[in-house]
Amino acid sequence: MNRPLRLGVNIDHVATVRNARGGPHPDPVRAALLAAEAGADGITAHLREDRRHIIDSDISRLMEQIGLPLNLEIAATEEMLAIALRHRPHAVCIVPERREERTTEGGLDAMGQRDHLRRYVEELGAAGIRVSLFIAPDPEQLDAAISLGAPVVELHTGSYADAEDPAAVKAELDRLEAAAAYAETIGLECHAGHGLRFDNVMPVASIPTVVELNIGHFLIGEAIFTGLDGSIRQMRALMDRARMAESRPV
Ligand code: PXP
């Protein structure tokens, strides 16, 4: 029996468009409510230090208005820890963050930053928040996550999504599969995300030990053409189809 695969819809880029004009439209909370109707299992939002998309009041409104679990992505800073502890979302995903990057370019160096991260994992966990670490699909990063006491990891699928020639795509997929299998053996719940689209989601969705995908930029961009409901429903259908397939889809 295949394990269910959850879809977390990241609504950051609804806020990106809103912020381009400074007014309230389009509202990421409205997008979150619509995502729930379209089949999302959770909502993900990244509160960045520079507030380039999601802003503090969005987090308050999401916590009040959505019926789905909120996965709040934050950098490991004092400011973000305080915000997370104040709101107590269902989950917090700790991500690396550099001001000058366009998006979250790489995984967290959980191994190199073990001493810094420990207190964040402990305090968030003690507050009843499910903590995940956004890491590259490398065994040493998984080992570091377990040694920090994080119950969940999210594997960064950016290198897979960016790979162009078939051999590189296969190599990245093999890496994700191996990391997801290893996560299970050491007792970590495994999520994945970044750069997933209609054309590349199925092989990742078919990895049996991955139980959640977090997808944002493509869904919001595709919504320009087909509507948010349509883009989420299509992603959901592809994930479900991949999950039911006997072997890795190509
Ligand atoms: N997961 C994490 C931890 C992220 O930081 C992001 C976005 O930066 C995503 C998933 C979603 O990536 P995308 O917007 O490319 O779908």
Side-chain angles (χ1 to χ4, degrees), residues 181-247:
Y182 183 57
E184 167 127 309
T185 65
I186 61 175
L188 286 164
E189 181 175 315
C190 191
H191 302 176
H194 202 89
L196 296 177
R197 311 174 299 259
F198 291 158
D199 66 304
N200 67 8
V201 73
M202 288 180 75
V204 180
S206 72
I207 300 173
T209 51
V210 171
V211 295
E212 179 174 310
L213 299 182
N214 284 298
I215 309 179
H217 184 266
F218 178 83
L219 287 174
I220 305 306
E222 190 63 14
I224 293 169
F225 307 107
T226 62
L228 190 55
D229 185 80
S231 72
I232 293 171
R233 281 183 199 278
Q234 191 169 342
M235 188 62 82
R236 178 83 258 174
L238 290 168
M239 286 166 54
D240 291 345
R241 197 187 316 156
R243 204 62 168 184
M244 285 184 304
E246 294 283 314
S247 57

Short mmCIF file of all heavy atoms in Angstrom, two decimals, residues 181-247:
data_model
loop_
_atom_site.label_atom_id
_atom_site.label_comp_id
_atom_site.label_asym_id
_atom_site.label_seq_id
_atom_site.Cartn_x
_atom_site.Cartn_y
_atom_site.Cartn_z
N ALA A 181 15.57 7.06 0.94
CA ALA A 181 15.59 5.71 1.53
C ALA A 181 16.39 5.73 2.82
O ALA A 181 16.00 5.15 3.84
CB ALA A 181 16.19 4.72 0.53
N TYR A 182 17.52 6.43 2.79
CA TYR A 182 18.37 6.51 3.99
C TYR A 182 17.64 7.24 5.12
O TYR A 182 17.72 6.83 6.30
CB TYR A 182 19.69 7.21 3.64
CG TYR A 182 20.65 7.26 4.81
CD1 TYR A 182 21.07 6.10 5.45
CD2 TYR A 182 21.14 8.49 5.28
CE1 TYR A 182 21.94 6.15 6.53
CE2 TYR A 182 22.01 8.54 6.35
CZ TYR A 182 22.41 7.37 6.98
OH TYR A 182 23.26 7.42 8.05
N ALA A 183 16.90 8.29 4.77
CA ALA A 183 16.14 9.04 5.78
C ALA A 183 15.23 8.08 6.55
O ALA A 183 15.14 8.14 7.78
CB ALA A 183 15.32 10.14 5.12
N GLU A 184 14.58 7.21 5.81
CA GLU A 184 13.67 6.26 6.46
C GLU A 184 14.43 5.33 7.40
O GLU A 184 13.98 5.06 8.51
CB GLU A 184 12.94 5.45 5.38
CG GLU A 184 12.23 4.24 5.95
CD GLU A 184 10.78 4.19 5.58
OE1 GLU A 184 10.08 5.20 5.77
OE2 GLU A 184 10.35 3.14 5.08
N THR A 185 15.59 4.87 6.96
CA THR A 185 16.31 3.91 7.82
C THR A 185 16.78 4.55 9.12
O THR A 185 16.92 3.88 10.13
CB THR A 185 17.54 3.26 7.11
OG1 THR A 185 18.49 4.29 6.85
CG2 THR A 185 17.17 2.56 5.83
N ILE A 186 17.04 5.85 9.11
CA ILE A 186 17.49 6.49 10.35
C ILE A 186 16.35 7.18 11.09
O ILE A 186 16.58 7.85 12.10
CB ILE A 186 18.70 7.45 10.12
CG1 ILE A 186 18.33 8.60 9.18
CG2 ILE A 186 19.90 6.69 9.62
CD1 ILE A 186 19.46 9.64 9.03
N GLY A 187 15.13 7.05 10.57
CA GLY A 187 13.96 7.52 11.33
C GLY A 187 13.54 8.94 11.07
O GLY A 187 12.86 9.56 11.90
N LEU A 188 13.91 9.49 9.91
CA LEU A 188 13.50 10.85 9.57
C LEU A 188 12.31 10.82 8.60
O LEU A 188 12.31 10.04 7.65
CB LEU A 188 14.64 11.59 8.86
CG LEU A 188 15.81 12.06 9.71
CD1 LEU A 188 17.00 12.40 8.82
CD2 LEU A 188 15.41 13.26 10.57
N GLU A 189 11.32 11.67 8.85
CA GLU A 189 10.26 11.87 7.85
C GLU A 189 10.85 12.71 6.73
O GLU A 189 11.58 13.66 6.97
CB GLU A 189 9.07 12.58 8.50
CG GLU A 189 7.92 12.80 7.53
CD GLU A 189 6.69 13.40 8.23
OE1 GLU A 189 6.33 12.94 9.32
OE2 GLU A 189 6.12 14.34 7.65
N CYS A 190 10.50 12.34 5.49
CA CYS A 190 11.17 12.97 4.35
C CYS A 190 10.21 13.73 3.46
O CYS A 190 9.24 13.18 2.94
CB CYS A 190 11.87 11.86 3.55
SG CYS A 190 12.97 12.50 2.31
N HIS A 191 10.51 15.03 3.28
CA HIS A 191 9.77 15.89 2.35
C HIS A 191 10.72 16.28 1.22
O HIS A 191 11.93 16.03 1.32
CB HIS A 191 9.27 17.15 3.06
CG HIS A 191 8.40 16.88 4.24
ND1 HIS A 191 7.92 17.89 5.05
CD2 HIS A 191 7.90 15.73 4.76
CE1 HIS A 191 7.18 17.37 6.01
NE2 HIS A 191 7.15 16.05 5.86
N ALA A 192 10.20 16.91 0.19
CA ALA A 192 11.07 17.38 -0.90
C ALA A 192 10.45 18.60 -1.55
O ALA A 192 9.24 18.81 -1.50
CB ALA A 192 11.26 16.26 -1.94
N GLY A 193 11.29 19.40 -2.16
CA GLY A 193 10.76 20.56 -2.87
C GLY A 193 11.84 21.47 -3.40
O GLY A 193 12.99 21.38 -3.02
N HIS A 194 11.42 22.31 -4.29
CA HIS A 194 12.15 23.38 -4.96
C HIS A 194 12.27 23.09 -6.46
O HIS A 194 12.81 22.07 -6.86
CB HIS A 194 13.55 23.62 -4.40
CG HIS A 194 14.02 25.02 -4.74
ND1 HIS A 194 13.78 26.10 -3.94
CD2 HIS A 194 14.66 25.50 -5.83
CE1 HIS A 194 14.27 27.19 -4.50
NE2 HIS A 194 14.81 26.86 -5.65
N GLY A 195 11.70 23.97 -7.24
CA GLY A 195 11.82 23.88 -8.69
C GLY A 195 10.96 22.79 -9.31
O GLY A 195 11.19 22.42 -10.47
N LEU A 196 9.97 22.28 -8.57
CA LEU A 196 9.15 21.21 -9.15
C LEU A 196 8.07 21.80 -10.06
O LEU A 196 7.48 22.83 -9.76
CB LEU A 196 8.55 20.33 -8.05
CG LEU A 196 9.61 19.59 -7.22
CD1 LEU A 196 8.96 18.80 -6.08
CD2 LEU A 196 10.45 18.65 -8.11
N ARG A 197 7.86 21.10 -11.18
CA ARG A 197 6.93 21.56 -12.22
C ARG A 197 6.13 20.35 -12.71
O ARG A 197 6.43 19.22 -12.33
CB ARG A 197 7.73 22.13 -13.42
CG ARG A 197 8.81 23.13 -13.06
CD ARG A 197 9.62 23.51 -14.32
NE ARG A 197 10.29 22.38 -14.92
CZ ARG A 197 11.59 22.10 -14.78
NH1 ARG A 197 12.37 22.87 -14.05
NH2 ARG A 197 12.11 21.03 -15.35
N PHE A 198 5.17 20.62 -13.61
CA PHE A 198 4.41 19.50 -14.16
C PHE A 198 5.34 18.48 -14.83
O PHE A 198 5.12 17.27 -14.73
CB PHE A 198 3.41 19.98 -15.22
CG PHE A 198 2.26 20.81 -14.69
CD1 PHE A 198 1.58 21.67 -15.55
CD2 PHE A 198 1.86 20.73 -13.37
CE1 PHE A 198 0.52 22.42 -15.09
CE2 PHE A 198 0.80 21.49 -12.89
CZ PHE A 198 0.12 22.35 -13.76
N ASP A 199 6.36 18.96 -15.53
CA ASP A 199 7.18 18.05 -16.32
C ASP A 199 8.23 17.29 -15.51
O ASP A 199 8.86 16.38 -16.03
CB ASP A 199 7.87 18.81 -17.47
CG ASP A 199 8.89 19.81 -16.95
OD1 ASP A 199 8.51 20.68 -16.13
OD2 ASP A 199 10.06 19.73 -17.32
N ASN A 200 8.45 17.66 -14.26
CA ASN A 200 9.50 16.94 -13.52
C ASN A 200 9.03 16.39 -12.17
O ASN A 200 9.81 15.81 -11.43
CB ASN A 200 10.74 17.83 -13.32
CG ASN A 200 10.48 19.02 -12.40
OD1 ASN A 200 9.44 19.13 -11.78
ND2 ASN A 200 11.45 19.92 -12.32
N VAL A 201 7.75 16.58 -11.84
CA VAL A 201 7.29 16.21 -10.50
C VAL A 201 7.13 14.69 -10.33
O VAL A 201 7.34 14.16 -9.22
CB VAL A 201 5.98 16.95 -10.13
CG1 VAL A 201 4.77 16.38 -10.89
CG2 VAL A 201 5.72 16.89 -8.64
N MET A 202 6.77 13.99 -11.41
CA MET A 202 6.35 12.59 -11.22
C MET A 202 7.45 11.67 -10.66
O MET A 202 7.18 10.90 -9.74
CB MET A 202 5.73 12.04 -12.50
CG MET A 202 4.35 12.66 -12.75
SD MET A 202 3.55 12.05 -14.24
CE MET A 202 3.04 10.43 -13.71
N PRO A 203 8.67 11.76 -11.19
CA PRO A 203 9.70 10.87 -10.60
C PRO A 203 9.93 11.12 -9.12
O PRO A 203 10.18 10.18 -8.36
CB PRO A 203 10.94 11.20 -11.44
CG PRO A 203 10.41 11.72 -12.73
CD PRO A 203 9.18 12.49 -12.36
N VAL A 204 9.83 12.37 -8.69
CA VAL A 204 10.03 12.66 -7.26
C VAL A 204 8.82 12.16 -6.47
O VAL A 204 8.96 11.58 -5.39
CB VAL A 204 10.26 14.17 -7.02
CG1 VAL A 204 10.46 14.45 -5.54
CG2 VAL A 204 11.46 14.67 -7.82
N ALA A 205 7.64 12.36 -7.04
CA ALA A 205 6.42 11.91 -6.35
C ALA A 205 6.37 10.40 -6.21
O ALA A 205 5.67 9.87 -5.33
CB ALA A 205 5.19 12.42 -7.10
N SER A 206 7.09 9.71 -7.05
CA SER A 206 7.03 8.24 -6.98
C SER A 206 8.03 7.66 -5.97
O SER A 206 8.03 6.45 -5.75
CB SER A 206 7.27 7.63 -8.36
OG SER A 206 8.63 7.79 -8.71
N ILE A 207 8.85 8.50 -5.37
CA ILE A 207 9.78 7.97 -4.35
C ILE A 207 8.96 7.64 -3.10
O ILE A 207 8.38 8.53 -2.48
CB ILE A 207 10.90 9.00 -4.02
CG1 ILE A 207 11.71 9.34 -5.28
CG2 ILE A 207 11.80 8.45 -2.92
CD1 ILE A 207 12.72 10.48 -5.10
N PRO A 208 8.88 6.36 -2.74
CA PRO A 208 7.87 5.95 -1.75
C PRO A 208 8.06 6.53 -0.36
O PRO A 208 7.09 6.68 0.37
CB PRO A 208 7.99 4.43 -1.71
CG PRO A 208 9.29 4.09 -2.33
CD PRO A 208 9.65 5.21 -3.25
N THR A 209 9.31 6.87 0.01
CA THR A 209 9.52 7.38 1.37
C THR A 209 9.41 8.90 1.46
O THR A 209 9.56 9.45 2.54
CB THR A 209 10.88 6.91 1.92
OG1 THR A 209 11.89 7.23 0.96
CG2 THR A 209 10.90 5.42 2.19
N VAL A 210 9.15 9.56 0.33
CA VAL A 210 8.87 11.00 0.37
C VAL A 210 7.37 11.15 0.63
O VAL A 210 6.55 10.62 -0.12
CB VAL A 210 9.27 11.69 -0.96
CG1 VAL A 210 8.77 13.13 -1.00
CG2 VAL A 210 10.78 11.64 -1.15
N VAL A 211 7.01 11.87 1.69
CA VAL A 211 5.58 11.94 2.04
C VAL A 211 4.99 13.35 1.87
O VAL A 211 3.80 13.55 2.09
CB VAL A 211 5.32 11.43 3.49
CG1 VAL A 211 5.64 9.96 3.59
CG2 VAL A 211 6.08 12.24 4.53
N GLU A 212 5.81 14.30 1.46
CA GLU A 212 5.27 15.65 1.24
C GLU A 212 6.13 16.37 0.20
O GLU A 212 7.36 16.30 0.26
CB GLU A 212 5.27 16.44 2.55
CG GLU A 212 4.75 17.86 2.42
CD GLU A 212 4.63 18.56 3.78
OE1 GLU A 212 4.02 17.98 4.71
OE2 GLU A 212 5.16 19.68 3.91
N LEU A 213 5.46 17.07 -0.72
CA LEU A 213 6.16 17.95 -1.66
C LEU A 213 5.70 19.37 -1.41
O LEU A 213 4.48 19.62 -1.26
CB LEU A 213 5.83 17.57 -3.12
CG LEU A 213 6.23 16.16 -3.58
CD1 LEU A 213 5.86 15.98 -5.05
CD2 LEU A 213 7.71 15.90 -3.36
N ASN A 214 6.63 20.30 -1.36
CA ASN A 214 6.29 21.71 -1.23
C ASN A 214 6.61 22.41 -2.54
O ASN A 214 7.75 22.40 -2.98
CB ASN A 214 7.04 22.34 -0.05
CG ASN A 214 6.40 21.91 1.26
OD1 ASN A 214 5.23 22.21 1.49
ND2 ASN A 214 7.14 21.17 2.07
N ILE A 215 5.57 23.00 -3.13
CA ILE A 215 5.71 23.54 -4.49
C ILE A 215 5.08 24.93 -4.53
O ILE A 215 3.95 25.13 -4.06
CB ILE A 215 5.02 22.61 -5.52
CG1 ILE A 215 5.49 21.16 -5.35
CG2 ILE A 215 5.27 23.11 -6.94
CD1 ILE A 215 4.86 20.16 -6.30
N GLY A 216 5.81 25.88 -5.12
CA GLY A 216 5.29 27.24 -5.16
C GLY A 216 5.40 27.94 -6.48
O GLY A 216 4.41 28.12 -7.20
N HIS A 217 6.61 28.31 -6.86
CA HIS A 217 6.80 29.24 -7.97
C HIS A 217 6.10 28.78 -9.25
O HIS A 217 5.40 29.56 -9.91
CB HIS A 217 8.30 29.44 -8.22
CG HIS A 217 8.60 30.43 -9.28
ND1 HIS A 217 8.81 30.08 -10.59
CD2 HIS A 217 8.68 31.78 -9.23
CE1 HIS A 217 9.03 31.17 -11.30
NE2 HIS A 217 8.96 32.22 -10.50
N PHE A 218 6.25 27.51 -9.60
CA PHE A 218 5.64 27.04 -10.84
C PHE A 218 4.11 27.12 -10.77
O PHE A 218 3.45 27.54 -11.74
CB PHE A 218 6.07 25.60 -11.16
CG PHE A 218 5.41 25.07 -12.40
CD1 PHE A 218 5.93 25.35 -13.65
CD2 PHE A 218 4.24 24.32 -12.31
CE1 PHE A 218 5.28 24.91 -14.80
CE2 PHE A 218 3.59 23.87 -13.45
CZ PHE A 218 4.12 24.16 -14.70
N LEU A 219 3.55 26.73 -9.63
CA LEU A 219 2.08 26.73 -9.51
C LEU A 219 1.51 28.14 -9.64
O LEU A 219 0.48 28.34 -10.29
CB LEU A 219 1.66 26.16 -8.14
CG LEU A 219 1.82 24.66 -7.94
CD1 LEU A 219 1.50 24.29 -6.50
CD2 LEU A 219 0.91 23.90 -8.91
N ILE A 220 2.18 29.10 -9.04
CA ILE A 220 1.68 30.47 -9.10
C ILE A 220 1.86 31.03 -10.52
O ILE A 220 0.98 31.71 -11.05
CB ILE A 220 2.41 31.36 -8.05
CG1 ILE A 220 2.30 30.76 -6.64
CG2 ILE A 220 1.87 32.80 -8.09
CD1 ILE A 220 0.91 30.47 -6.14
N GLY A 221 2.98 30.70 -11.14
CA GLY A 221 3.21 31.16 -12.51
C GLY A 221 2.21 30.55 -13.47
O GLY A 221 1.63 31.22 -14.33
N GLU A 222 1.97 29.27 -13.32
CA GLU A 222 1.03 28.56 -14.20
C GLU A 222 -0.40 29.08 -13.99
O GLU A 222 -1.21 29.09 -14.93
CB GLU A 222 1.10 27.05 -13.91
CG GLU A 222 0.38 26.16 -14.88
CD GLU A 222 0.91 26.21 -16.30
OE1 GLU A 222 2.02 26.73 -16.53
OE2 GLU A 222 0.18 25.74 -17.20
N ALA A 223 -0.68 29.54 -12.80
CA ALA A 223 -2.02 30.07 -12.50
C ALA A 223 -2.37 31.26 -13.37
O ALA A 223 -3.55 31.53 -13.63
CB ALA A 223 -2.10 30.45 -11.02
N ILE A 224 -1.36 31.96 -13.88
CA ILE A 224 -1.62 33.09 -14.78
C ILE A 224 -2.37 32.58 -16.02
O ILE A 224 -3.23 33.25 -16.57
CB ILE A 224 -0.29 33.76 -15.19
CG1 ILE A 224 0.34 34.42 -13.97
CG2 ILE A 224 -0.50 34.75 -16.33
CD1 ILE A 224 1.78 34.88 -14.19
N PHE A 225 -2.06 31.37 -16.43
CA PHE A 225 -2.64 30.83 -17.66
C PHE A 225 -3.88 29.98 -17.41
O PHE A 225 -4.81 29.99 -18.21
CB PHE A 225 -1.58 30.01 -18.40
CG PHE A 225 -0.31 30.77 -18.63
CD1 PHE A 225 0.83 30.49 -17.90
CD2 PHE A 225 -0.28 31.83 -19.53
CE1 PHE A 225 1.99 31.23 -18.08
CE2 PHE A 225 0.88 32.57 -19.72
CZ PHE A 225 2.02 32.27 -18.99
N THR A 226 -3.89 29.26 -16.32
CA THR A 226 -4.99 28.29 -16.14
C THR A 226 -5.78 28.53 -14.86
O THR A 226 -6.74 27.80 -14.59
CB THR A 226 -4.44 26.85 -16.07
OG1 THR A 226 -3.59 26.75 -14.94
CG2 THR A 226 -3.67 26.48 -17.33
N GLY A 227 -5.38 29.51 -14.08
CA GLY A 227 -6.04 29.73 -12.79
C GLY A 227 -5.36 28.89 -11.71
O GLY A 227 -4.80 27.82 -11.99
N LEU A 228 -5.42 29.37 -10.47
CA LEU A 228 -4.74 28.67 -9.38
C LEU A 228 -5.39 27.32 -9.12
O LEU A 228 -4.71 26.31 -8.88
CB LEU A 228 -4.76 29.55 -8.13
CG LEU A 228 -3.90 29.09 -6.96
CD1 LEU A 228 -2.45 28.91 -7.37
CD2 LEU A 228 -4.00 30.09 -5.81
N ASP A 229 -6.70 27.29 -9.16
CA ASP A 229 -7.41 26.03 -8.95
C ASP A 229 -6.93 24.98 -9.97
O ASP A 229 -6.59 23.85 -9.60
CB ASP A 229 -8.92 26.27 -9.08
CG ASP A 229 -9.71 25.03 -8.76
OD1 ASP A 229 -9.90 24.75 -7.57
OD2 ASP A 229 -10.14 24.33 -9.70
N GLY A 230 -6.88 25.38 -11.22
CA GLY A 230 -6.47 24.45 -12.28
C GLY A 230 -5.03 23.99 -12.11
O GLY A 230 -4.72 22.81 -12.28
N SER A 231 -4.14 24.92 -11.78
CA SER A 231 -2.72 24.52 -11.70
C SER A 231 -2.50 23.58 -10.52
O SER A 231 -1.76 22.60 -10.62
CB SER A 231 -1.78 25.73 -11.65
OG SER A 231 -1.84 26.40 -10.44
N ILE A 232 -3.18 23.84 -9.41
CA ILE A 232 -3.00 22.95 -8.24
C ILE A 232 -3.63 21.58 -8.52
O ILE A 232 -3.05 20.54 -8.20
CB ILE A 232 -3.60 23.60 -6.97
CG1 ILE A 232 -2.77 24.84 -6.59
CG2 ILE A 232 -3.63 22.61 -5.81
CD1 ILE A 232 -3.38 25.69 -5.49
N ARG A 233 -4.82 21.59 -9.10
CA ARG A 233 -5.49 20.30 -9.39
C ARG A 233 -4.63 19.44 -10.33
O ARG A 233 -4.54 18.22 -10.17
CB ARG A 233 -6.87 20.51 -9.98
CG ARG A 233 -7.90 20.84 -8.93
CD ARG A 233 -9.30 20.98 -9.52
NE ARG A 233 -10.12 21.71 -8.58
CZ ARG A 233 -10.72 21.18 -7.52
NH1 ARG A 233 -10.64 19.89 -7.29
NH2 ARG A 233 -11.43 21.94 -6.69
N GLN A 234 -4.03 20.10 -11.32
CA GLN A 234 -3.22 19.32 -12.26
C GLN A 234 -1.97 18.75 -11.56
O GLN A 234 -1.59 17.58 -11.78
CB GLN A 234 -2.82 20.18 -13.46
CG GLN A 234 -2.22 19.32 -14.58
CD GLN A 234 -2.06 20.06 -15.88
OE1 GLN A 234 -2.68 21.11 -16.09
NE2 GLN A 234 -1.24 19.53 -16.77
N MET A 235 -1.35 19.55 -10.71
CA MET A 235 -0.17 19.07 -9.97
C MET A 235 -0.56 17.89 -9.08
O MET A 235 0.12 16.87 -9.02
CB MET A 235 0.41 20.21 -9.13
CG MET A 235 1.72 19.89 -8.48
SD MET A 235 3.07 19.52 -9.63
CE MET A 235 3.62 21.17 -10.08
N ARG A 236 -1.67 18.05 -8.40
CA ARG A 236 -2.18 17.00 -7.50
C ARG A 236 -2.40 15.70 -8.28
O ARG A 236 -2.04 14.61 -7.85
CB ARG A 236 -3.49 17.54 -6.90
CG ARG A 236 -4.29 16.71 -5.98
CD ARG A 236 -3.80 16.76 -4.58
NE ARG A 236 -3.05 15.55 -4.38
CZ ARG A 236 -2.36 15.26 -3.28
NH1 ARG A 236 -2.31 16.11 -2.28
NH2 ARG A 236 -1.71 14.14 -3.17
N ALA A 237 -3.00 15.85 -9.48
CA ALA A 237 -3.30 14.66 -10.28
C ALA A 237 -2.02 13.96 -10.73
O ALA A 237 -1.92 12.73 -10.71
CB ALA A 237 -4.14 15.05 -11.51
N LEU A 238 -1.01 14.75 -11.10
CA LEU A 238 0.27 14.14 -11.52
C LEU A 238 0.94 13.43 -10.35
O LEU A 238 1.48 12.33 -10.50
CB LEU A 238 1.20 15.23 -12.08
CG LEU A 238 0.78 15.82 -13.43
CD1 LEU A 238 1.60 17.07 -13.75
CD2 LEU A 238 0.91 14.79 -14.54
N MET A 239 0.88 14.07 -9.18
CA MET A 239 1.47 13.44 -7.99
C MET A 239 0.77 12.12 -7.69
O MET A 239 1.40 11.11 -7.40
CB MET A 239 1.34 14.38 -6.79
CG MET A 239 2.29 15.55 -6.82
SD MET A 239 1.88 16.87 -5.62
CE MET A 239 1.79 15.98 -4.08
N ASP A 240 -0.56 12.14 -7.76
CA ASP A 240 -1.33 10.94 -7.44
C ASP A 240 -1.04 9.83 -8.45
O ASP A 240 -0.91 8.66 -8.09
CB ASP A 240 -2.83 11.25 -7.40
CG ASP A 240 -3.18 12.15 -6.22
OD1 ASP A 240 -2.34 12.28 -5.29
OD2 ASP A 240 -4.28 12.75 -6.23
N ARG A 241 -0.94 10.24 -9.73
CA ARG A 241 -0.69 9.24 -10.77
C ARG A 241 0.69 8.60 -10.55
O ARG A 241 0.86 7.38 -10.65
CB ARG A 241 -0.75 9.88 -12.15
CG ARG A 241 -0.91 8.83 -13.24
CD ARG A 241 -0.83 9.34 -14.64
NE ARG A 241 -1.56 10.57 -14.89
CZ ARG A 241 -1.25 11.40 -15.89
NH1 ARG A 241 -0.25 11.14 -16.70
NH2 ARG A 241 -1.95 12.48 -16.10
N ALA A 242 1.68 9.43 -10.24
CA ALA A 242 3.03 8.90 -10.01
C ALA A 242 3.05 7.96 -8.81
O ALA A 242 3.72 6.94 -8.81
CB ALA A 242 4.00 10.06 -9.78
N ARG A 243 2.29 8.33 -7.81
CA ARG A 243 2.28 7.55 -6.58
C ARG A 243 1.70 6.16 -6.80
O ARG A 243 2.05 5.19 -6.15
CB ARG A 243 1.44 8.31 -5.56
CG ARG A 243 1.76 8.00 -4.14
CD ARG A 243 3.16 8.39 -3.80
NE ARG A 243 3.41 8.37 -2.39
CZ ARG A 243 4.56 8.74 -1.84
NH1 ARG A 243 5.54 9.18 -2.61
NH2 ARG A 243 4.71 8.69 -0.57
N MET A 244 0.76 6.09 -7.74
CA MET A 244 0.08 4.81 -7.98
C MET A 244 0.85 3.92 -8.96
O MET A 244 0.60 2.72 -9.04
CB MET A 244 -1.32 5.04 -8.51
CG MET A 244 -2.25 5.50 -7.38
SD MET A 244 -3.95 5.68 -7.89
CE MET A 244 -3.88 6.80 -9.22
N ALA A 245 1.81 4.53 -9.71
CA ALA A 245 2.53 3.74 -10.72
C ALA A 245 3.41 2.70 -10.04
O ALA A 245 3.91 2.91 -8.95
CB ALA A 245 3.38 4.68 -11.58
N GLU A 246 3.62 1.60 -10.73
CA GLU A 246 4.42 0.50 -10.18
C GLU A 246 5.90 0.82 -10.20
O GLU A 246 6.66 0.42 -9.35
CB GLU A 246 4.19 -0.77 -11.00
CG GLU A 246 2.78 -1.32 -10.92
CD GLU A 246 2.53 -2.06 -9.60
OE1 GLU A 246 3.39 -2.86 -9.24
OE2 GLU A 246 1.49 -1.82 -8.96
N SER A 247 6.32 1.58 -11.27
CA SER A 247 7.75 1.87 -11.37
C SER A 247 7.96 3.35 -11.62
O SER A 247 7.01 4.08 -11.90
CB SER A 247 8.35 1.07 -12.52
OG SER A 247 7.65 1.38 -13.70
#
